[in-house]
């Protein structure tokens, strides 16, 4: 079994046990040498996934607790969002993705694929950069100031793709996205890939996710993206409303969420 597999066994055991377990008890239940289990426990504690209590037993660490909270929140979000994502895919024909921010990354938590053979595919759970792509920039535009400043500085030193915006361009785009609630990307993260994204809010008005529609540039030219905007905003508005947020308000020829 791989090291990752053994570490997962330890996490499963510690988090599912009726009582807290010691090193010896963990090693015995997993039929592993105490020395190797001790090394894995030390590494898991360093990563914040486990914590060691005063009575020499182990429990879930702060990072694991945080992951659990994110997963629970995402699960509720996905359940609410999926019917509207399917509605949007059927209406527009393109792939629909739902992203949440996890520190300095965006994570795809749900996807509804286009039925075209040529379509955009994103792996569920894969970390992607915030500083490039429609969904990433939208989440970054509504992140805290320190995160925005950090990502703008990072793009100058470590652009994630050849067509990524410069630091100055990203700063200007984030300002515009923050006011328009609409983000687009044309070949920024991947050549030939076009995407647009709008926010989803919770009952407190906080942006908790980005709803994105994406596809090949052969089908999604800039004017086509603009024509799709009302439907994307409508779907996001319904999801926001079901999460307890305010339904989209009319704003010119599109509805803002």
């Amino acid at each position: 079994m791989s090291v990752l597999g053994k570490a997962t066994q330890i996490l499963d055991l510690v988090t599912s046990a009726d009582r807290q377990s010691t090193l010896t008890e963990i090693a015995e239940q997993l039929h592993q040498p105490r020395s190797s289990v001790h090394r894995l426990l030390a590494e898991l504690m360093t990563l914040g996934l486990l914590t060691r209590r005063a009575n020499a037993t182990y429990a879930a660490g702060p990072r694991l607790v945080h992951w659990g909270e994110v997963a629970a929140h995402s699960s509720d979000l996905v359940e609410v969002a999926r019917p509207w994502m399917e509605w949007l895919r059927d209406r527009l024909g393109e792939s629909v993705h739902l992203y949440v921010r996890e520190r300095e990354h965006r994570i795809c938590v749900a996807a509804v694929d286009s039925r075209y053979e040529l379509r955009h595919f994103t792996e569920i759970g894969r970390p992607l950069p915030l500083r490039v792509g429609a969904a990433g920039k939208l989440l970054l535009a509504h992140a805290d100031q320190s995160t925005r400043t950090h990502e703008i500085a990072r793009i100058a030193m470590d652009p994630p793709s050849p067509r990524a915006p410069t630091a100055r361009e990203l700063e200007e785009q984030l300002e515009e996205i923050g006011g328009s609630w609409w983000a687009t990307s044309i070949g920024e993260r991947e050549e030939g890939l076009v995407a647009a994204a709008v926010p989803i809010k919770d009952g407190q008005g906080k942006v908790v996710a980005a709803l994105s529609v994406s596809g090949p540039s052969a089908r999604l030219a800039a004017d086509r993206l603009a024509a799709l905007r009302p439907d994307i905003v409508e779907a996001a508005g319904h999801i926001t409303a079901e999460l307890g947020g305010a339904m989209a308000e009319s704003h010119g020829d599109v509805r803002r969420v």
Side-chain angles (χ1 to χ4, degrees), residues 27-103:
E28 288 177 349
Q29 292 188 58
L30 298 181
H31 305 290
Q32 296 290 331
R34 289 179 81 258
S35 58
S36 61
V37 171
H38 182 267
R39 285 194 297 270
L40 285 172
L41 286 168
E43 183 69 17
L44 291 169
M45 286 191 295
T46 299
L47 294 171
L49 296 173
L50 289 180
T51 185
R52 188 172 186 268
R53 301 186 182 276
N55 61 356
T57 61
Y58 295 86
R63 184 178 241 177
L64 193 61
V65 172
H66 173 70
W67 284 357
E69 291 172 349
V70 171
H73 176 75
S74 296
S75 178
D76 293 340
L77 174 64
V78 170
E79 184 177 357
V80 170
R82 185 168 293 280
W84 290 107
M85 293 174 68
E86 292 173 349
W87 173 85
L88 193 58
R89 187 272 315 275
D90 293 343
R91 190 169 179 84
L92 304 183
E94 302 297 345
S95 296
V96 182
H97 296 92
L98 186 68
Y99 294 91
V100 299
R101 182 169 76 89
E102 173 60 22
R103 294 184 173 86

Side-chain angles (χ1 to χ4, degrees), residues 61-210:
R63 184 178 241 177
L64 193 61
V65 172
H66 173 70
W67 284 357
E69 291 172 349
V70 171
H73 176 75
S74 296
S75 178
D76 293 340
L77 174 64
V78 170
E79 184 177 357
V80 170
R82 185 168 293 280
W84 290 107
M85 293 174 68
E86 292 173 349
W87 173 85
L88 193 58
R89 187 272 315 275
D90 293 343
R91 190 169 179 84
L92 304 183
E94 302 297 345
S95 296
V96 182
H97 296 92
L98 186 68
Y99 294 91
V100 299
R101 182 169 76 89
E102 173 60 22
R103 294 184 173 86
E104 58 187 26
H105 293 96
R106 58 180 162 116
I107 308 292
C108 180
V109 295
V112 178
D113 291 337
S114 167
R115 294 194 174 97
Y116 289 110
E117 289 190 12
L118 179 61
R119 60 184 182 267
H120 175 213
F121 172 80
T122 294
E123 183 180 353
I124 301 295
R126 178 188 174 192
L128 293 171
L130 287 173
R131 56 196 188 280
V132 69
K137 292 187 297 184
L138 187 136
L139 292 170
L140 183 57
H142 296 283
D144 56 276
Q145 184 59 53
S146 62
T147 298
R148 293 197 299 272
T149 300
H150 176 67
E151 290 300 302
I152 290 170
R154 281 186 70 191
I155 204 166
M157 298 180 293
D158 181 28
S161 69
R163 297 190 61 179
T166 65
R168 182 173 180 177
E169 288 170 341
L170 180 59
E171 188 171 13
E172 292 174 350
Q173 289 177 24
L174 294 180
E175 185 68 24
E176 182 179 350
I177 292 167
S180 67
W181 304 87
W182 170 252
T184 61
S185 169
I186 300 177
E188 284 185 7
R189 189 172 67 85
E190 184 177 333
E191 186 68 32
L193 176 63
V194 176
V198 299
I200 292 171
K201 299 180 183 180
D202 62 12
Q204 287 70 50
K206 179 183 177 182
V207 173
V208 294

Side-chain angles (χ1 to χ4, degrees), residues 15 23 27 30 50 93 110 243:
T15 56
L23 165 61
L30 298 181
L50 289 180
L243 291 174

